[in-house]
Amino acid sequence: MMSVRHMLTAALLLALSLPALAQETLSYQGSITDAARQPVTASYPFVFSLYADREGGDALWTESYDSVDIVDGSFSVELGSVAPFSEELARNETLFLGIAVNGAPE
C-alpha cells in the first residue's frame, strides 16, 4: 500500500510575497505522486501553515482541510477560505508555506 509520506519527497516550502496576502484568499495548486512517481487519485486531509522563518518555528497561520481531492496527481485549494488571513501576516516581508498531507510531517 502506498504511503503518503513517500509521496512527498521533501518538505514543501513556498515563499509568498507581501502583495499576495492583500487578498482575502490565495489560490494554491499542487501535485502529488506515489513512490513510483505516478500521479495519485485520492482524497486526503491537508494542513497548510505559514511561517516567518524558512526553518519553521511557530506557525503564524494554519488552515486544515478534512479532505482535499487529488485527481491525476493535481489538487487545488483556496487558502484563507477556512481560516481567514490576519492583518499581522501582511507585516511579514516573506512567508513560508508548510504542507502536511494525511498526518505526515510537512
Side-chain angles (χ1 to χ4, degrees), residues 13-16 49-61 88-89 91-98:
L13 294 174
L14 174 69
L16 298 173
S49 300
L50 288 173
Y51 300 91
D53 185 52
R54 179 184 303 266
E55 302 303 317
D58 292 333
L60 302 175
W61 170 89
E88 290 179 34
L89 288 176
R91 295 187 194 130
N92 293 278
E93 187 173 311
T94 302
L95 294 169
F96 299 89
L97 178 64

Side-chain angles (χ1 to χ4, degrees), residues 2 8 11 17-18 22 33 36-37 45 49 67 69-70 72 83 85 89 93 96-98:
M2 172 182 49
L8 299 177
S17 64
L18 180 65
T33 60
R37 301 197 186 269
S49 300
S67 183
D69 293 330
I70 306 159
D72 294 328
F85 297 125
L89 288 176
E93 187 173 311
F96 299 89
L97 178 64

Side-chain angles (χ1 to χ4, degrees), residues 9-76:
T9 58
L12 178 60
L13 294 174
L14 174 69
L16 298 173
S17 64
L18 180 65
L21 289 179
Q23 310 173 146
E24 289 185 25
T25 63
L26 180 65
S27 182
Y28 181 82
Q29 298 84 35
S31 62
I32 294 181
T33 60
D34 61 18
R37 301 197 186 269
Q38 296 301 308
V40 171
T41 296
S43 294
Y44 293 113
F46 277 63
V47 177
F48 298 88
S49 300
L50 288 173
Y51 300 91
D53 185 52
R54 179 184 303 266
E55 302 303 317
D58 292 333
L60 302 175
W61 170 89
T62 299
E63 181 166 85
S64 298
Y65 292 81
D66 292 334
S67 183
V68 173
D69 293 330
I70 306 159
V71 179
D72 294 328
S74 297
F75 68 91
S76 179

